[in-house]
């Protein structure tokens, strides 16, 4: 599992480097902190596996998952503010929905929350969307001149 975590971390760093200069770096850092805390804040002793606050608060079925979902929505709101496309925002909401519904199942939900890293995925989706926007806007619209 260690390679998956480090590979995805380096992938997120590469995506951050592809963002246009106009993107609010402080917002990206805040989003990264929230996603990391919810999904990968602590290493499980004796392993390379990481868990976050989400599966821990998920021990309280329903209430814990609702609280984690409310915090997860921060990523969606911040992404919308940064200009992420509506289709990406809907995918992010779907990730949170799956996390909340399945995470609410007693016992199974806690295990699911430990592996379903919705916030990390949502951060990646937002960064990919913002990086794609920069690629499209750099070339700009084609200018046609009439002689």
């Amino acid at each position: 599992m260690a390679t998956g975590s480090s590979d995805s971390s380096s992938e997120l760093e590469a995506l951050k480097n592809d963002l246009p200069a106009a993107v609010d770096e402080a917002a990206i850092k805040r989003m990264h902190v929230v996603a990391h805390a919810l999904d990968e804040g602590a290493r499980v002793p004796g392993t390379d596996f990481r868990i976050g606050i989400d599966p821990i608060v998920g021990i309280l079925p329903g209430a814990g998952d609702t609280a984690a979902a409310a915090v997860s929505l921060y990523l969606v709101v911040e992404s919308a503010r940064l200009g992420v496309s509506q289709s990406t925002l809907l995918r992010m909401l779907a990730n949170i929905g799956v996390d909340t519904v399945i995470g609410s199942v007693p016992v199974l939900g806690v295990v699911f929350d430990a592996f379903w890293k919705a916030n990390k995925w949502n951060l990646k989706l937002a960064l990919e969307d913002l990086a794609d926007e920069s690629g499209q806007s750099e070339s700009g619209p084609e200018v046609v001149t009439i002689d």
Side-chain angles (χ1 to χ4, degrees):
M1 284 263 166
T3 57
S5 179
S6 63
D7 286 348
S8 61
S9 294
S10 60
E11 186 178 358
L12 287 176
E13 287 303 317
L15 285 170
K16 285 185 201 177
N17 293 333
D18 289 342
L19 297 177
V23 172
D24 183 355
E25 282 187 45
I28 298 298
K29 286 179 184 174
R30 288 190 303 268
M31 291 169 65
H32 187 353
V33 166
V34 169
H36 184 75
L38 286 170
D39 289 345
E40 298 185 322
R43 187 177 57 83
V44 175
T47 71
D48 289 329
F49 189 74
R50 301 186 68 82
I51 63 167
I53 296 168
D54 190 3
I56 295 169
V57 299
I59 293 171
L60 302 168
D65 291 294
T66 302
V71 177
S72 295
L73 288 173
Y74 165 77
L75 294 171
V76 178
V77 170
E78 195 70 74
S79 295
R81 190 184 69 77
L82 290 171
V84 169
S85 70
Q86 187 174 11
S87 62
T88 299
L89 294 174
L90 289 173
R91 289 174 63 194
M92 293 170 74
L93 288 170
N95 283 339
I96 294 170
V98 168
D99 187 34
T100 303
V101 170
I102 298 177
S104 295
V105 176
V107 184
L108 173 67
V110 175
V111 174
F112 178 78
D113 279 341
F115 289 93
W116 182 265
K117 312 247 185 227
N119 300 290
K120 189 172 145 184
W121 289 358
N122 284 347
L123 176 61
K124 181 181 174 198
L125 285 171
L127 292 175
E128 286 174 344
D129 189 272
L130 291 167
D132 285 348
E133 288 296 317
S134 73
Q136 292 172 1
S137 63
E138 284 177 345
S139 62
E142 184 178 330
V143 177
V144 177
T145 57
I146 301 174
D147 291 324

